[in-house]
Structure formats: structure tokens, C-alpha cells
């Protein structure tokens, strides 16, 4: 687990949540991508459900 990957995951999660709160799907998707980059670098499975829901794509 690297610090850089943890920062990506945390920053991506924050951006995803903010995008969801503002109703900005593009921002939420961008945050999800960054979050998943960090998760993969840390050896975790990426999040696969659509941002703002708990449903799979």
C-alpha cells in the first residue's frame, strides 16, 4: 500500500461524493476513475457500481 495510491483513492472518493451532491455526473465519474486507480494500486478491487447508486453497470 503506497501513500500515493491512498491519496488518489481518498481524493477520488471526495470528488465522486461532491459530484454526486452537485448532480454533476461528469465530476462523479472522474472521481470514480481516480478512486479506482488508487484502489488498484493498493491491490483492492475497483468499485464497479454506477456513482450515486449501489447498482452495477
Amino acid at each position: 500500500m503506497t501513500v500515493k495510491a491512498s491519496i488518489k483513492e481518498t481524493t477520488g472518493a471526495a470528488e465522486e461524493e461532491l459530484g454526486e451532491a452537485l448532480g454533476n455526473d461528469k465530476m462523479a465519474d472522474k472521481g470514480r476513475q481516480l478512486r479506482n486507480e488508487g484502489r488498484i494500486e493498493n491491490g483492492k478491487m475497483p468499485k464497479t457500481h454506477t456513482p450515486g447508486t449501489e447498482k452495477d453497470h
Side-chain angles (χ1 to χ4, degrees):
M1 188 152 106
T2 67
V3 173
K4 184 177 178 181
S6 295
I7 291 170
K8 280 184 178 180
E9 185 176 352
T10 303
T11 303
E15 186 173 359
E16 180 181 353
E17 292 295 323
L18 181 60
E20 291 172 10
L22 297 174
N24 186 336
D25 292 336
K26 190 174 182 180
M27 179 187 278
D29 287 336
K30 183 180 170 195
R32 173 55 62 90
Q33 290 174 356
L34 185 60
R35 182 182 195 180
N36 280 337
E37 281 180 36
R39 289 181 63 82
I40 291 168
E41 288 175 19
N42 278 333
K44 298 178 184 175
M45 295 296 296
K47 299 282 187 173
T48 58
H49 63 275
T50 305
T53 70
E54 292 299 320
K55 297 177 183 175
D56 288 331
H57 289 277

